[in-house]
Amino acid sequence: STDLTSTVGYDSIIQHLNDGRKNCKEFEDFLKERAIIEEKYGKELINLSKKKPCGQTELNTLKRSLDVFKQQIDNVGQGHIQLAQTLREEAKKMEDFREKQKLHRKKIELIMEAIHKNRNVQYKKTMEVKQTCCCFFLLCGCTQALFHLPSLSRFWQLFLKLAQTKSALEDSDRSYQQSVSTLEKVREEWQKEHIKACEFFETQECDRINYFRNALWLHVNQLSLGCVQNDEKYEEIRKSLEMCSIEKDVDFFVNLRKTGSLAPAPIAYENYYNAQRNVTPARSPAPVPISRRGPLPTPTSAPGEPDYATVDGYSLV
């Protein structure tokens, strides 16, 4: 501003820096809230995998797949808890960066406040001296005009008054010159410090934008890494499902629970009514062994239902 005592430009810079600090605080709070959500979600996943039954009576290969499934869900929950801790650490780094900038800026602001105060005081003093000097000049002009009065006694009174006025005028003019010179030195010092402060504030703003951008980039990378790690855990589940065999599980159940390979023999009739013991009973037909079923059909889906995930030709539901 052209006004020497104005601080409108400086105030605008300080307001912008405060807004930047507020923006950093908002991102810091965002990370903290996200950490709370991630931690809660992770704990819920762990509780779900440990407490909720999920095919607990299954056998053989499908049972192993379900065990892997629950273990990997638990690992995913642990990963979300670890991500929550990482987000809290990043929020703390942002807080430390913000407070560090605040402390450094406070030193410059105190210097600028002091120099603004000194500048304004000196400017006010100079203007007061200038006003006094101007009044003396006016008074001197009026006194000289009164010399044309005819009274001799009045003339000497005015002459003495004029001498005193000239002396005071000279003193006032010297004081005015000194005030102007002092004000110029103060102005030069203020301008020098103002430029240094602006350069410092610009450096801080560049550092803040760079730090903020990097922090946001790092946050997105952490989320991407979490997704990749989760996908790796889900891939373990898919691999275990590829090892799940319908034929093997059915055979395993049959071998585990089988009671024999022959069907029960037909019940022969015995005639107790005639009590003839020597009657030759009819020969019973030989027991027929039970044959196994042919190959199990591939499960199919009814119209409108999602596709079933096959084993050999693996596909998602």
Side-chain angles (χ1 to χ4, degrees):
S1 175
T2 56
D3 183 3
L4 182 60
T5 60
S6 174
T7 59
V8 59
Y10 177 81
D11 294 340
S12 178
I13 293 175
I14 295 300
Q15 181 62 45
H16 178 72
L17 295 177
N18 289 333
D19 290 341
R21 182 170 177 268
K22 179 182 177 183
N23 294 335
C24 290
K25 181 65 167 61
E26 291 175 351
F27 181 66
E28 173 191 329
D29 293 339
F30 178 89
L31 291 179
K32 291 179 179 178
E33 290 295 327
R34 179 66 186 267
I36 293 174
I37 295 173
E38 291 290 342
E39 183 177 39
K40 182 179 179 181
Y41 180 57
K43 289 181 178 179
E44 291 293 336
L45 283 180
I46 293 174
N47 290 334
L48 179 65
S49 65
K50 290 182 177 179
K51 297 180 180 180
K52 189 69 175 177
C54 185
Q56 58 184 353
T57 60
E58 286 293 344
L59 303 173
N60 206 32
T61 60
L62 183 55
K63 177 177 175 57
R64 288 195 291 270
S65 295
L66 288 172
D67 290 341
V68 173
F69 166 73
K70 295 190 70 175
Q71 180 60 49
Q72 294 305 326
I73 293 299
D74 184 275
N75 292 340
V76 170
Q78 296 289 352
H80 281 282
I81 293 177
Q82 181 60 42
L83 176 60
Q85 181 60 30
T86 301
L87 295 179
R88 289 191 179 94
E89 292 173 357
E90 293 303 319
K92 185 63 170 61
K93 292 179 181 178
M94 177 63 76
E95 180 183 4
D96 293 341
F97 172 80
R98 183 170 51 84
E99 292 300 322
K100 183 179 180 181
Q101 278 208 330
K102 177 184 176 182
L103 292 176
H104 288 175
R105 188 167 71 244
K106 190 64 176 179
K107 297 177 183 177
I108 302 300
E109 290 179 5
L110 290 176
I111 294 175
M112 293 303 296
E113 287 176 4
I115 203 167
H116 284 163
K117 183 178 180 180
N118 184 34
R119 179 198 61 185
N120 294 342
V121 168
Q122 186 60 39
Y123 178 80
K124 181 179 179 181
K125 180 180 178 181
T126 301
M127 293 300 101
E128 290 174 351
V129 173
K130 177 182 179 181
Q131 185 67 26
T132 301
C133 186
C134 181
C135 292
F136 275 129
F137 273 111
L138 293 176
L139 179 59
C140 181
C142 293
T143 305
Q144 289 177 346
L146 293 175
F147 277 131
H148 300 287
L149 296 176
S151 173
L152 183 60
S153 61
R154 182 61 177 168
F155 170 80
W156 287 110
Q157 290 177 0
L158 292 176
F159 182 81
L160 181 60
K161 184 66 174 179
L162 177 61
Q164 294 174 350
T165 301
K166 286 185 176 180
S167 177
L169 177 61
E170 292 174 355
D171 293 340
S172 178
D173 185 61
R174 284 193 299 269
S175 179
Y176 176 47
Q177 291 180 12
Q178 291 176 356
S179 295
V180 171
S181 177
T182 303
L183 178 60
E184 178 60 18
K185 292 180 181 179
V186 171
R187 189 195 66 81
E188 290 177 355
E189 181 184 3
W190 159 76
Q191 185 170 321
K192 180 180 178 182
E193 292 296 330
H194 182 80
I195 293 174
K196 289 170 60 178
C198 289
E199 291 173 349
F200 175 81
F201 293 151
E202 181 179 359
T203 301
Q204 269 209 332
E205 179 66 2
C206 292
D207 291 343
R208 186 192 68 83
I209 295 175
N210 182 63
Y211 190 90
F212 201 157
R213 182 190 63 178
N214 292 342
L216 189 58
W217 193 301
L218 178 61
H219 175 61
V220 175
N221 286 346
Q222 290 167 345
L223 298 180
S224 296
L225 178 61
C227 293
V228 172
Q229 292 174 343
N230 288 345
D231 187 67
E232 291 175 353
K233 297 176 179 66
Y234 299 142
E235 180 64 20
E236 292 296 323
I237 300 174
R238 289 190 286 265
K239 289 180 180 179
S240 69
L241 289 173
E242 289 176 352
M243 302 302 294
C244 177
S245 169
I246 300 175
E247 291 81 2
K248 288 182 179 180
D249 284 4
V250 172
D251 289 341
F252 181 84
F253 170 76
V254 171
N255 292 329
L256 179 67
R257 303 293 175 85
K258 68 181 178 180
T259 58
S261 59
L262 298 177
I267 305 299
Y269 171 73
E270 297 183 19
N271 190 348
Y272 294 101
Y273 180 76
N274 293 326
Q276 296 178 355
R277 302 295 183 180
N278 296 326
V279 178
T280 303
R283 180 178 296 180
S284 300
V288 180
I290 299 175
S291 61
R292 289 298 310 277
R293 294 177 296 176
L296 294 174
T298 301
T300 59
S301 304
E305 293 182 350
D307 294 334
Y308 189 88
T310 62
V311 176
D312 296 329
Y314 174 71
S315 65
L316 292 174
V317 177

